[in-house]
Amino acid sequence: MSVPPAERSVLTARTDAEGRSGIAGAALLMAASLALVLTAGALARELGARYGAAEVLFLRFLLSLPVVAPAAVAMAGRRALSVTRPGGHAVRALSGVGAALIFYAATQHLPFADLVALSYAAPLFVALLSGPAIGERAGAASVLCVALGMAGVFLIAPPTRLEPWSLAMLAMAFLNAVCILATRRTAQADGPAATGLVFVLAGCLLTAPAALLTGFRMPEPADLPVFLLLGLAAGAAILLNAAAFRRAPAVVLAPIDYLGIAASAAIGFVWWGESPSPAVLLGGGLIAAAGLGTLWAGARR
């Protein structure tokens, strides 16, 4: 999911296949990460009915820090806080946190399946932006996949009845694409551990003022375990995602991630009794096919 989708890419910029023996284990790790990402999204939606989106996001970042920080230090030692491209990290943080904040706010206005399906439009924007942003030209196959994916987006949110929150989710996908492109630069220079830890720390700093300005209040005792589970799920998802991409290449693992579109429809039905429309199911399928096609085209290049 994306979910907030920006965080799926926090530690995945460096991928290195370690052979066929590790692919099965990597697939399991990826599936577990996806399950935690969707769980975190569902918990955030549940909490968002009682607390402001900025507060939920701040506490999510804060409570994921005890999970991410020790792992980053174990991976990189003192280099976990060493950055050589502060500008790139700033772009990542601002775009990623902005995308997550929009996602959390939109959870109260759109069905869960719509949210997740539209969030998967981010790779389409990556294909469009990669040329001017980082000099990676999109080939004819990528352009065709982008057109296919946009057709899926228009099925879910037709131009004839665009809603403000549907537009907001497309803005979120755009910001998430900027975050992904910035991740490629920062992780290459500073490593995945620093990239992940700096993102979580920046998330805490950026969302704290927003939470205070929008009426922060202490969570009710009954909600404390839910907030704790949200932070643990988000932090563990980052680590499992990183572990998966260290064992297998993106072209192998991406199909598992796109199962999130179908899984979100099931979660929405079981948790909130939401039945996705045929347009959402078909549109989500087109977006998933386009994303996988874009990845395949990039792997060929």
Side-chain angles (χ1 to χ4, degrees), residues 40-279:
L43 291 172
R45 189 187 198 204
E46 193 71 22
L47 291 167
R50 299 185 293 279
Y51 302 90
E55 178 177 351
V56 174
L57 186 57
F58 166 67
L59 290 175
R60 204 287 312 276
F61 274 120
L62 184 66
L63 293 173
S64 67
L65 191 58
V67 179
V68 175
V73 172
M75 289 169 60
R78 294 181 179 179
R79 293 180 59 195
L81 279 174
S82 175
V83 297
T84 60
R85 292 187 174 179
H89 284 282
V91 171
R92 278 197 73 253
L94 290 171
S95 58
V97 171
L101 188 58
I102 292 173
F103 182 89
Y104 276 34
T107 59
Q108 302 307 304
H109 302 277
L110 292 175
F112 195 63
D114 294 39
L115 286 167
V116 176
L118 289 173
S119 73
Y120 274 97
L124 309 180
F125 288 110
V126 170
L128 291 173
L129 294 173
S130 58
I134 58 176
E136 294 180 359
R137 291 186 177 182
S142 294
V143 173
L144 180 61
C145 288
V146 168
L148 180 67
M150 287 305 177
V153 169
F154 290 143
L155 275 173
I156 299 172
T160 54
R161 60 175 183 85
L162 272 179
E163 300 176 0
W165 286 105
S166 296
L167 291 173
M169 284 301 296
L170 292 179
M172 184 227 69
F174 176 84
L175 288 174
N176 193 41
V178 173
C179 181
I180 291 170
L181 291 171
T183 299
R184 293 184 183 179
R185 292 289 184 91
T186 56
Q188 288 172 358
D190 299 326
T195 301
L197 181 55
V198 169
F199 180 79
V200 175
L201 289 171
C204 292
L205 294 175
L206 289 173
T207 54
L212 291 173
L213 291 173
T214 54
F216 180 90
R217 62 186 179 89
M218 288 300 297
E220 298 292 333
D223 290 327
L224 286 175
V226 185
F227 273 109
L228 181 60
L229 182 59
L230 172 62
L232 292 175
I238 293 174
L239 299 178
L240 290 174
N241 189 273
F245 278 91
R246 284 200 298 269
R247 289 166 171 78
V251 71
V252 174
L253 297 178
I256 298 172
D257 193 39
Y258 278 95
L259 290 175
I261 294 178
S264 66
I267 291 173
F269 178 77
V270 173
W271 202 317
W272 296 286
E274 298 174 345
S275 297
S277 67

Side-chain angles (χ1 to χ4, degrees), residues 14-26 29 242-250 252-253:
R14 287 187 176 178
T15 62
D16 182 22
E18 297 179 353
R20 293 181 180 275
S21 60
I23 289 179
L29 290 170
F245 278 91
R246 284 200 298 269
R247 289 166 171 78
V252 174
L253 297 178

